[in-house]
Amino acid sequence: MTSRTSRRVGPAALERRRAKITAEIAALGLPLPGSLVERRTRCGNTGCRCHADPPQLHGPYWTWTRKVDNKTVTRTLDTAQADALQPLLDNSRRLRELTTELETLALQQVKDDPTQPDP
Ligand SMILES: [Zn+2]
């Protein structure tokens, strides 16, 4: 018995995991590309509250950045806009995680197939 067969998960277990992942993908809301960044800043006025101890920084200022045709596109958002987009951006992150899990299962299937090369 080779190490390859001893690590075998079994096609039924693989299929159960695949079905679970694809069910979660099917239930996922729309995935918005990009990421949300929160910034709090200090201004140039030394008398301002942002220079106090403890400092009360300005903001939060939100930016949503994403790649469009290999260029970074940035949009400034208010807090309400950022709150509305956050769940859609979370969907996108979760979708990437689930896709990676599916790829891991596919690699396992290839690994378990003696007619395929060890990946
Ligand atoms: Zn300030």
Side-chain angles (χ1 to χ4, degrees):
M1 191 143 296
T2 68
S3 63
R4 203 166 154 176
T5 49
S6 67
R7 271 178 284 150
R8 191 180 165 89
V9 175
L14 217 66
E15 171 53 24
R16 276 195 302 277
R17 286 170 63 191
R18 188 203 63 78
K20 204 174 166 203
I21 294 166
T22 54
E24 187 174 342
I25 290 173
L28 209 58
L30 284 173
L32 187 67
S35 57
L36 208 53
V37 177
E38 178 189 4
R39 285 189 186 81
R40 291 171 193 269
T41 61
R42 189 170 271 144
C43 71
N45 179 1
T46 53
C48 181
R49 64 186 168 87
C50 67
H51 290 272
D53 186 22
Q56 290 177 269
L57 301 181
H58 300 281
Y61 303 110
W62 295 93
T63 54
W64 166 38
T65 61
R66 69 190 201 282
K67 289 278 186 188
V68 178
D69 297 330
N70 274 331
K71 288 180 195 148
T72 302
V73 174
T74 302
R75 293 286 177 266
T76 303
L77 310 175
D78 62 31
T79 300
Q81 290 171 322
D83 285 348
L85 295 192
Q86 186 66 66
L88 303 178
L89 293 160
D90 289 345
N91 290 341
S92 194
R93 183 181 37 74
R94 185 63 186 143
L95 182 60
R96 283 194 300 276
E97 289 170 359
L98 292 168
T99 302
T100 300
E101 285 182 45
L102 285 176
E103 287 173 343
T104 303
L105 291 182
L107 281 167
Q108 186 65 51
Q109 183 174 294
V110 171
K111 195 184 193 106
D112 290 345
D113 185 345
T115 67
Q116 293 294 339
D118 209 5

